[in-house]
Amino acid sequence: MTDVSSDPTDVLRARTSEKWAEHPDDVLPLFVAEMDYPLADPIRRVLHEAIDRGDTGYVASANPLAGAFCGFAGRRWNWDLTDATVLSTADVSMGIVEILRAVTAPGDRVAITPPVYPPFFDLVAEAGASVTEVPLVDTGDGPRLDLDGLETAFAGGARAFVLCNPHNPLGLLHSRAELARVAELALAFNVRVISDEIHAPLTHPGATFVPYLSASTVARENGFALHSASKAWNIAGLKCALMVAEGEEPKSILAGLPVEVTWRTGQFGMLASTAAYREGEGWLDGARASIKANLDLLDELRREHLPDVSWRRPDAGYLAWLDFRGRGWGDDPAARILEQARVALSPGTGFGSGGSGWARINVACSPELLTEAVRRIAAIPPGPQRQ
C-alpha cells in the first residue's frame, strides 16, 4: 500500500480545476468531488510518456481499457465480466444520458432516489424524460431504498431507474438482496436500471460493494452499469468512463449507440484509467486509508465542536452528509457557512427531497484543513430552532 497524503496548500492553490479555482483564497474548499492528493505514480508516468511521444490523438477502437477494468473488477469485487460488453465514453453522466435516450421515449418518467447526486435531475431532462422522485426511507437502521415506493413508481409508468450505487451523498451501499429486489420489480414492469457505480472503488474496509449486474440473473438481463476511475484516482478532467452490460438486450442497446458516444472518450483518460486499473491499487488503498483516517477525525471534531450536527458515516467514498438542522441555520446551511466561516460545502438543497438543512462535505484533504474547517463552522452562532 502506497502512503497517500494531501499536497501542500501552495501546490493546491496553483491548481486550476474547480475545487481550488472556484472561490477566493480565504475560502476552504470542501465541496466538489475532487481530492487534494497527488496523482498516482503509474498515471503520472503514462501521461508523461504519452506527451513525450506526442500521443494525443483519438482513442483507438482497439485499446486495453476494457480488459484492465474487467481485471480490476474481478480482483476487487469478484465480478466476472468475461462475456460482458464494456464500452467507453467521456464520463458517467454522458453514459447515463445516452442510455436513457436509448431506453426511453420523450416525456417518459425516470425514477431517482433523493437525496441524490444533483446532476441526475438534469441528466434525465437532457435525455428528454421527466423525473419521478422516490426518496430514501429511514428503516430504523438508517436510510435505505424505498422498495415499495419504487414498485409504485414502476407500476405508475416509470420506464427507467437511475440507481446511485454507492449512493451519493450518503456513501450508502445497497445490499445484494435490495438490488435483486430492484431487478425483480424492474422486470415485472419492464423498467431499465442504469446503475452509477463511480464511487465503488472507494468502498471502505469492512464494507461490501455489490455491483448491480452481479446481484442476480434478472439484474443482468435488465440493467446497465457505469464505472470510471475518475473519482477513485482523481482524474475527472481526463474524460473517460465505462458502460457495462451483460444481458443480451442491454448488450444490443449498447451496440446500437451512436459511434460518437465512444469516440468522445479522452485519449489521456483512457491511458490514465488503464494504468489506474492495472497498476494503481496500491495508491488506491493508500488513499482509502487517508480517507478513513479523516472520517475518524471528522467524527471526533463533530463530537467536540458540533455535537448538534449528526451524520451517518459513509461506507464508501470521501463525501459525508451532515445534518445541520439542529443548528437552526435554515434550509441552506451551506450558504451561511460559506458567508460566515469561509468554508465551501455542497448545499443539501441541490440533492432533492430530504436535502433541506443538510450539507455535503469532502474529506479528501489534509487533516489540518479539515480541522480548521470544522472549527470555523463551529464558531458560527446557532440560529433560532424550528418549531
Side-chain angles (χ1 to χ4, degrees):
M1 183 171 70
T2 303
D3 180 55
V4 176
S5 57
S6 173
D7 274 328
T9 302
D10 60 334
V11 173
L12 295 171
R13 292 212 177 274
R15 291 184 179 180
T16 61
S17 58
E18 174 72 0
K19 185 177 182 186
W20 286 92
E22 175 67 16
H23 296 286
D25 285 354
D26 66 329
V27 172
L28 302 181
L30 298 175
F31 65 116
V32 71
E34 297 181 23
M35 296 193 281
D36 290 347
Y37 307 143
L39 273 180
D41 283 341
I43 294 174
R44 188 188 303 271
R45 184 182 67 252
V46 299
L47 293 178
H48 280 292
E49 289 173 352
I51 290 171
D52 289 342
R53 63 177 179 263
D55 195 2
T56 56
Y58 295 111
V59 170
S61 56
N63 67 69
L65 175 59
F69 172 74
C70 291
F72 176 84
R75 293 188 301 274
R76 223 59 184 184
W77 307 311
N78 196 32
W79 186 13
D80 183 2
L81 291 170
T82 303
D83 297 323
T85 293
V86 181
L87 301 179
S88 67
T89 189
D91 55 39
V92 164
S93 292
M94 182 175 292
I96 290 172
V97 170
E98 295 300 339
I99 294 172
L100 280 175
R101 284 176 173 153
V103 301
T104 64
D108 278 351
R109 294 193 293 279
V110 175
I112 62 173
T113 53
V116 74
Y117 182 53
F120 276 13
F121 294 89
D122 296 328
L123 301 180
V124 171
E126 184 180 346
S130 61
V131 166
T132 293
E133 294 192 29
V134 184
L136 299 176
V137 293
D138 193 336
T139 61
D141 294 325
R144 307 300 316 176
L145 293 174
D146 182 355
L147 296 173
D148 291 339
L150 286 172
E151 182 173 11
T152 298
F154 294 173
R159 296 273 57 85
F161 171 34
V162 182
L163 170 69
C164 202
N165 180 39
H167 190 99
N168 174 8
L170 286 84
L172 176 67
L173 294 169
H174 307 304
S175 71
R176 186 175 300 277
E178 286 176 297
L179 297 176
R181 180 57 179 158
V182 167
E184 291 172 358
L185 293 171
L187 176 66
F189 295 102
N190 195 29
V191 171
R192 300 296 175 266
V193 179
I194 303 167
S195 185
D196 174 354
E197 301 182 348
I198 196 170
H199 292 277
L202 292 164
T203 298
H204 299 308
T208 300
F209 165 70
V210 180
Y212 174 73
L213 297 181
S214 75
S216 68
T217 301
V218 174
R220 288 188 283 277
E221 292 307 314
N222 66 20
F224 305 84
L226 282 299
H227 279 261
S228 177
S230 61
K231 291 292 187 286
W233 284 272
N234 207 41
I235 53 174
L238 299 183
K239 291 300 177 185
C240 181
L242 293 159
M243 303 174 291
V244 185
E246 292 191 75
E248 291 308 310
E249 184 184 34
K251 286 162 72 172
S252 69
I253 289 170
L254 287 191
L257 293 178
V259 67
E260 286 296 327
V261 175
T262 56
W263 273 91
R264 292 167 187 156
T265 308
Q267 167 74 343
F268 277 12
M270 182 277 294
L271 294 169
S273 299
T274 300
Y277 291 131
R278 281 182 170 175
E279 306 174 64
E281 289 181 72
W283 185 95
L284 175 64
D285 289 337
R288 289 164 66 232
S290 292
I291 292 164
K292 179 186 180 300
N294 268 3
L295 289 170
D296 293 340
L297 175 62
L298 176 61
D299 198 32
E300 294 172 8
L301 293 167
R302 182 190 61 83
R303 291 175 186 273
E304 179 180 356
H305 299 288
L306 292 165
D308 49 2
V309 174
S310 61
W311 75 325
R312 178 195 176 278
R313 186 184 177 112
D315 294 318
Y318 50 83
L319 305 169
W321 188 233
L322 303 179
D323 182 358
F324 286 95
R325 289 175 295 178
R327 297 291 284 179
W329 291 344
D331 290 340
D332 186 8
R336 182 181 298 232
I337 290 168
L338 178 59
E339 179 184 356
Q340 298 185 19
R342 308 305 286 162
V343 175
L345 306 181
S346 296
T349 50
F351 292 81
S353 302
S356 294
W358 296 70
R360 193 188 73 178
I361 187 170
N362 177 345
V363 304
C365 59
S366 71
E368 294 78 14
L369 190 154
L370 182 60
T371 300
E372 173 65 16
V374 173
R375 287 176 174 165
R376 288 190 189 186
I377 294 169
I380 304 173
Q385 298 301 308
R386 293 177 176 174
Q387 300 301 314

